[in-house]
Each structure stands twice: as structure tokens, then as C-alpha cells.
Amino acid sequence: MSPFPSSAPHTDDWCHLRLTTDDGVATVTLARPEKLNALTFGAYADLRDLLAELSRERSVRALVLAGEGRGFCSGGDVDDIIGATLAMDTAQLLDFNRMTGQVVRALRETPFPVIAAVHGVAAGAGAVLALAADFRIADPSARFAFLFTKVGLSGGDMGAAYLLPRVVGLGHATRLLMLGEPVRAPEAERIGLISELTDEGQADVRAAALARRLADGPALALAQTKALLTAELDMPLAAAVEMDAATQALLMHGEDYAEFHAAFTEKRPPKWQGR
């Protein structure tokens, strides 16, 4: 995303989620615990705009996405979204569905790593938000469910049919998206849906520790790694290798590359600047 600002001012307050920052680490918390953090139209829009704003400002080097209370996110609010969409015309429905997809694109295109801290339910859109993160840290209570066919819609919602086969393989993705059955933490770890299985109640702690490790690392190198992982998913090998070569040539002119050599020579840890 472009770092160049527009006339829009910085947003100090987000009405539909909670944002905290600590020395380059942002934590975005879905905060409707009484509804298992079910998403509303406003929550989708806030996520879309917040991720774009953080990407432009470049002050964040890692982001944790978490849920308050008993679970991560139960998906779209049945009353606020499903009930409301029944009264929408096709143009309105297309606008809504494009907005949900824009949130997933924003998660994939941020120039910093995103870590989902999952406990309890991650269902429907909540499962896709976790899927779109770069890392999924989950405790034993976590259960993922891609419920779209359960409500009579395609399982390929919000990019799920694109992302899930690339994370767990086509066979597992077909089963999860068609049947909509819950996947509990042990199976999610077995099929590669989660990056780390923690002790009970430790997902937030471990996600924060990983975010700090990433934020203290070479930010530009990590941003380019994330960009290449996304861009090269559909590239032939020749194009991917050429893109890798061009990226490395650019980074070899960077300050961090020179800093590594200086630190190695002086036998000290590198002081990464993200440049």
C-alpha cells in the first residue's frame, strides 16, 4: 500500500474495535464479547480503513488481531448483517461483499506481519480473518468453522477458496468449505491451519511475544518477504525467480544489509532500521 498520505486526518478513535500500540506493535481487538465478537457492517469498515491507515503511516511493524472474551470471532452478526442483507438489492449486496473481501486483501497486503491470536470460536468470517493472517497462534480451546454453506451461501467467501487450499491443501480445504464442520485445535495443528498451538489461555501472550520479535527484526526484509509470498502464489517459477532477484538486488542496497555485515564483523547484534 502507498505510504503517501491524503487529506484525510489520522483517526484517533475507532468505534467498532479497540486499537492499542506499543513501540511498533499494534493490537487490534474485536470487542463485542457479549456477541462472541460478531462482526457488524461498521466493524468490517473499521478493519478495512484501519489497516489501510496503518499501512500508510508505516509506524507499525507487527500487528496482533485478537478477540475479547470467550472467543476470537463468531462471524457476521446474524441480526445486524444476515437479517439486513435480506432486504438489500443486488448492488448493495455487491458493495457489502466487496467490502468484506477488501478486509482480507488489506490483511494480506499490509507491509507488516499480522498474527491472529485465536481462542474459542473462529467461525465464518472470523475463520477467514484468522486465515488471512500471516501467523495463527491458537490455544487448545480454538475451533475453526467455515460456515458459509451452512447458511446457504458459497464456501468460497472473502477469498477462502483461494487462501485455504494454499494453507492446508485442496483436499482439506474442500472438506472444510463444503461441510462447514468445526476443526478443533489438535486437527488444525495437524493439517497446518495454525502456526503454533499454545497452552490453555496463552494464545494472546505468545502472539504478543511473536509480534515483538517480528517488530524488532528487519522490517523491510519482512515486508518484502510477505509481499513475495502473496505475489508469487500464482506465478510460474521463472517469473518468481526473476522477482526474487530484483527484490534482493534492491535490498542489497539497503542500510539493514550493510548493518548485518558490520554487526557480524564487530561481533554484536544488528541494529535494524527497516531501511
Side-chain angles (χ1 to χ4, degrees), residues 105-266:
R105 283 191 60 187
L107 287 166
R108 295 304 314 145
E109 293 174 1
T110 59
F112 45 77
V114 176
I115 304 107
V118 182
H119 70 287
V121 65
V128 183
L129 292 181
L131 176 65
D134 301 292
F135 300 88
R136 283 160 296 284
I137 310 298
D139 81 1
S141 70
R143 60 188 187 279
F144 299 83
F146 298 87
L147 297 174
F148 306 109
T149 60
K150 296 279 191 179
V151 301
L153 297 176
S154 164
D157 194 31
M158 297 173 62
Y162 178 88
L163 290 171
L164 193 58
R166 289 163 169 80
V167 173
V168 303
L170 180 60
H172 290 306
T174 300
R175 171 172 59 93
L176 300 184
L177 294 182
M178 286 195 174
L179 299 180
E181 294 176 346
V183 180
R184 298 189 180 276
E187 183 187 4
E189 182 183 35
R190 178 179 65 81
I191 65 177
L193 184 54
I194 61 176
S195 312
E196 179 186 341
L197 181 59
T198 74
D199 292 335
E200 188 77 35
Q202 291 298 300
D204 287 344
V205 173
R206 292 294 300 149
L210 177 57
R212 172 48 54 201
R213 175 182 173 183
L214 291 164
D216 290 344
L220 186 57
L222 295 175
Q224 290 306 112
T225 302
K226 176 172 180 172
L228 291 178
L229 283 167
T230 298
E232 293 181 14
L233 283 172
D234 299 309
M235 281 186 181
L237 178 59
V241 168
E242 180 62 21
M243 180 171 278
D244 288 350
T247 300
Q248 297 296 53
L250 289 170
L251 291 176
M252 284 173 177
H253 275 298
E255 294 179 19
D256 280 351
Y257 187 61
E259 166 61 15
F260 165 77
H261 184 263
F264 181 83
T265 302
E266 298 166 13

Side-chain angles (χ1 to χ4, degrees), residues 72-136:
F72 176 72
C73 176
S74 60
D77 189 286
V78 174
D79 295 322
D80 186 85
I81 290 183
I82 296 179
T85 53
L86 292 174
M88 290 182 178
D89 61 27
T90 302
Q92 292 171 316
L93 291 170
L94 188 56
D95 284 342
F96 165 64
N97 284 288
R98 282 175 172 162
M99 176 175 67
T100 65
Q102 287 164 357
V103 174
V104 170
R105 283 191 60 187
L107 287 166
R108 295 304 314 145
E109 293 174 1
T110 59
F112 45 77
V114 176
I115 304 107
V118 182
H119 70 287
V121 65
V128 183
L129 292 181
L131 176 65
D134 301 292
F135 300 88
R136 283 160 296 284

Side-chain angles (χ1 to χ4, degrees), residues 26-52:
T27 301
V28 176
T29 305
L30 305 174
R32 296 182 75 209
E34 73 284 357
K35 293 288 187 75
L36 277 174
N37 302 316
L39 297 166
T40 62
F41 294 111
Y44 278 117
D46 269 8
L47 280 170
R48 175 200 62 197
D49 295 347
L50 170 63
L51 291 166

